[in-house]
Amino acid sequence: MPDYPEDLKYSADHEWVRSGNGSTVRVGITEYAADQLGDIVFVSLPTVGDAVAAGDSCGELESTKSVSDVFSPVSGTVTAVNEVLGGSPETVNGDPYGDGWLFEVDLGADVDLDDLMDADAYAEQAAG
């Protein structure tokens, strides 16, 4: 069974959010999502400076099985993308909560991370 770190928040679309410095958060996909996708061979991410809205598609992950949208779990402005994934997309599969992160967002003023699920709630959803 996949592991869901307790220090993260989770979306229904299988993305995670890690609080960082100030209002900036890091976003990635869960181990469950990475397992469901299979071997990721291409990653398309938003551009630094893009405005993203919670629940909106902002990128794609292409695997040997399918192409899946990446949904932003929060609203704000993209401040960084994981450049490593351009040459090594398989990093998402190998380390989804570490080096396989996707992008960072400077949160909008009215964003509340408590609107997302904790690890226990996400584990229940993923198991169901």
Side-chain angles (χ1 to χ4, degrees), residues 38-108:
D39 295 333
I40 296 171
V41 295
F42 180 76
V43 176
S44 171
L45 297 173
T47 303
V48 171
D50 282 357
V52 293
D56 284 359
S57 174
C58 62
E60 291 181 338
L61 298 175
E62 184 177 334
S63 72
T64 54
K65 294 181 185 178
S66 67
V67 176
S68 293
D69 285 331
V70 173
F71 297 96
S72 181
V74 294
S75 297
T77 303
V78 176
T79 57
V81 295
N82 189 348
E83 302 289 348
V84 170
L85 302 181
S88 301
E90 69 279 1
T91 306
V92 175
N93 295 105
D95 191 8
Y97 302 116
D99 291 339
W101 63 277
L102 301 178
F103 57 95
E104 293 182 345
V105 175
D106 186 32
L107 296 175

